[in-house]
Amino acid sequence: MMAFSLRNIVAFLALFHASIVVATLPSCQTCGSPEPSPPAPEPEAFPPEPEVPEPYPPELAPYPEPDQSPEPSEAPIDDDGVFDVTNYGAVADGGTECSSAFSAAWHAACDYPGNSTFYIPEGTFLVGPISFRGPCYNDRSPNVEIRGTLFALSSLSSFKSSYWISFKNLQGLTLIGGPEYGKLDGQGAVEAWKEPSCEKSARCKKLITSIDFINVSHATISNITLSNSKGFHLGLHGSKNIKIYNVKIIAPEDSPNTDGIHVSNSSNISIFSSTIGVGDDCVSIGPGSKNVSVSNIRCGPGHGISLGKYKNEKDVVGINVRNCTINGTENGIRMKTWPGDRPSNAYNMTFEDIVMVNVSNPIIIDQEYCPSHKCKSNEPSMVKLKDIFIKNINGTYSTKSAVIFLCSSEAPCENVQLVNINLNYLVPNSPRQGRLNIKGFLNGLQVINSRF
């Protein structure tokens, strides 16, 4: 049991197999813009969006939106362009399924030739799977304001696609709730978490994301509370220039696959000033992600903040995680890939100014990641992890190794720096540990001014 202090150490070690993480999201579908009414002054134009890759397998075809709520009424358009779902037949009693009314209000707001707001007032609404699609009038999304509480249908059989609520093919979206309202409850505990596939393996067979943003650009999401999702709570796929802040995400520590925020194939994403405590990763960053910033996040319980890559997927570039507190989680900061994956890269990643409180694995590179234990463990990962900078990490940990590097034997980790790492082992009456666990090949490890 000794203090560990190293400077400019280069380690080459051998043998290892790797792993990769996947995030599935529903395929993007566009819908045509309506014929315009008498032209209004054109809002700021946005550039056309590139075609988004198919995020879901064919068997998860888009589900036709249910038609179970009361027939929408002929609602007058408010002078200020506010489209209240209750004017279209939604009933705030927590028992009447309201997706048809929500859809009618959205289409009216989307078609409106001016600034518009899709408005959910105070009250409790039961809502089935629904997709809010664009492009809208002049390619400009309505604002979305949620003052009520939304509950998902509890039965998995109601969900033919892999989302509860989705926003697709939109530009300039603003979604806002409030400190005491704007709540979305996925009701995962009722049925989804009890599925046999969830109990027998590390990944549920059917995952329903509570709110998905697909091919969305220049959007702001703030002041909402997401809880008890059947799968991921909030997903970003094929999106860019997104800000997410003042968001609260809650699920029990033992709830399966309930990632807080998952990012894939998206760029210029900023997630900050939020609290996330779930049963899986607080924030997971998947393939094709570029220029993602995560800051001022309070994470725990959960599996920490993770970066993962799947087979045959795009590179991950430019990840910055800083000024976060990670409390009581299984991992702190983690980079993971699967065994047997094809060549790709994840590089230019910085983790700095992070506080760890009673974390099991504070710093971990795991290129042997295989939660199902059904991987081709004899095939090493071919994902190249390089230019990883980990700085100013302080706190406590509860396992024998504060730092674990399980790198690939075929695509060695490269240029990894640990600077100002100060982590204390929590076992009572035990001195500070000197525990660095390395397996596989690692080219260019520097450990500077660090004790763990």
Side-chain angles (χ1 to χ4, degrees):
M1 325 270 227
M2 65 179 179
F4 189 89
S5 178
L6 298 171
R7 186 178 188 89
N8 297 328
I9 298 176
V10 177
F12 292 82
L13 295 153
L15 192 77
F16 137 160
H17 310 95
S19 48
I20 260 191
V21 167
V22 108
T24 56
L25 295 163
S27 59
C28 299
Q29 298 185 3
T30 58
C31 56
S33 301
E35 289 295 324
S37 298
E42 291 190 2
E44 180 184 354
F46 289 82
E49 290 297 321
E51 183 178 349
V52 178
E54 190 75 18
Y56 278 110
E59 61 268 24
L60 295 179
Y63 179 48
E65 293 154 12
D67 188 14
Q68 301 172 344
S69 60
E71 288 295 323
S73 60
E74 291 292 332
I77 298 174
D78 292 345
D79 291 338
D80 56 1
V82 175
F83 295 82
D84 186 327
V85 295
T86 60
N87 289 337
Y88 291 81
V91 181
D93 60 2
T96 303
E97 204 285 316
C98 297
S99 58
S100 290
F102 276 49
S103 181
W106 171 261
H107 285 300
C110 186
D111 292 350
Y112 185 65
N115 293 330
S116 63
T117 297
F118 174 76
Y119 182 73
I120 302 171
E122 294 183 16
T124 302
F125 298 89
L126 181 66
V127 183
I130 187 169
S131 181
F132 300 115
R133 299 180 183 179
C136 294
Y137 185 86
N138 272 338
D139 215 10
R140 181 78 178 187
S141 171
N143 294 325
V144 176
E145 184 172 349
I146 305 175
R147 289 182 172 268
T149 298
L150 277 57
F151 281 91
L153 297 177
S154 59
S155 175
L156 279 173
S157 63
S158 300
F159 297 84
K160 305 304 180 185
S161 191
S162 296
Y163 59 79
W164 170 24
I165 297 169
S166 72
F167 290 87
K168 297 182 178 182
N169 309 324
L170 295 166
Q171 300 189 73
L173 171 70
T174 297
L175 188 155
I176 188 169
E180 300 301 327
Y181 44 82
K183 299 178 180 180
L184 292 81
D185 191 319
Q187 298 210 83
V190 178
E191 179 180 312
W193 302 344
K194 300 174 184 177
E195 279 290 295
S197 63
C198 296
E199 296 177 354
K200 295 179 181 179
S201 71
R203 188 170 184 83
C204 302
K205 185 176 180 180
K206 188 170 185 178
L207 295 173
I208 308 298
T209 299
S210 280
I211 185 166
D212 240 340
F213 297 87
I214 304 164
N215 193 24
V216 172
S217 65
H218 300 90
T220 299
I221 302 145
S222 66
N223 297 295
I224 59 172
T225 297
L226 304 172
S227 61
N228 304 317
S229 178
K230 294 176 175 66
F232 297 166
H233 283 80
L234 189 156
L236 299 175
H237 179 82
S239 297
K240 64 181 182 181
N241 300 319
I242 311 290
K243 292 182 180 179
I244 300 173
Y245 63 93
N246 290 345
V247 169
K248 188 174 184 180
I249 301 178
I250 310 166
E253 184 175 4
D254 60 352
S255 57
N257 302 126
T258 53
D259 289 40
I261 299 174
H262 180 77
V263 182
S264 69
N265 292 301
S266 297
S267 61
N268 301 325
I269 307 300
S270 182
I271 303 166
F272 59 98
S273 301
S274 296
T275 299
I276 305 173
V278 291
D280 211 302
D281 296 333
C282 292
V283 179
S284 57
I285 301 169
S289 299
K290 296 182 178 180
N291 299 327
V292 178
S293 171
V294 178
S295 62
N296 295 301
I297 300 296
R298 297 186 65 86
C299 167
H303 294 178
I305 297 173
S306 294
L307 183 150
K309 278 188 54 52
Y310 273 87
K311 296 182 180 180
N312 308 322
E313 292 286 1
K314 297 179 180 178
D315 291 354
V316 173
V317 185
I319 309 302
N320 191 306
V321 179
R322 55 189 170 82
N323 295 326
C324 295
T325 298
I326 302 176
N327 188 347
T329 57
E330 182 177 302
N331 304 292
I333 53 179
R334 175 173 59 163
M335 289 145 278
K336 56 188 179 182
T337 67
W338 293 70
D341 52 326
R342 295 184 180 181
S344 60
N345 298 283
Y347 59 95
N348 190 16
M349 297 172 282
T350 299
F351 305 85
E352 62 183 331
D353 300 323
I354 296 172
V355 175
M356 308 276 187
V357 181
N358 190 20
V359 172
S360 295
N361 301 300
I363 301 169
I364 180 169
I365 293 175
D366 184 1
Q367 294 199 274
E368 297 178 350
Y369 181 73
C370 185
S372 66
H373 306 293
K374 296 179 181 179
C375 305
K376 297 179 179 179
S377 57
N378 60 331
E379 297 182 9
S381 170
M382 294 302 294
V383 176
K384 182 76 169 180
L385 302 178
K386 62 181 180 179
D387 300 335
I388 301 168
F389 307 102
I390 303 171
K391 310 174 185 177
N392 303 329
I393 312 296
N394 297 283
T396 57
Y397 65 100
S398 57
T399 54
K400 292 183 178 180
S401 297
V403 180
I404 301 173
F405 292 151
L406 305 179
C407 293
S408 172
S409 59
E410 293 295 330
C413 303
E414 185 174 308
N415 190 21
V416 180
Q417 291 186 11
L418 299 175
V419 180
N420 296 329
I421 311 299
N422 187 0
L423 294 167
N424 293 309
Y425 188 42
L426 270 181
V427 175
N429 303 317
S430 294
R432 191 188 304 268
Q433 302 298 294
R435 299 298 177 91
L436 171 62
N437 184 355
I438 301 177
K439 180 182 178 183
F441 289 170
L442 196 160
N443 298 337
L445 170 65
Q446 295 182 330
V447 183
I448 301 169
N449 192 31
S450 297
R451 292 167 59 87
F452 46 85

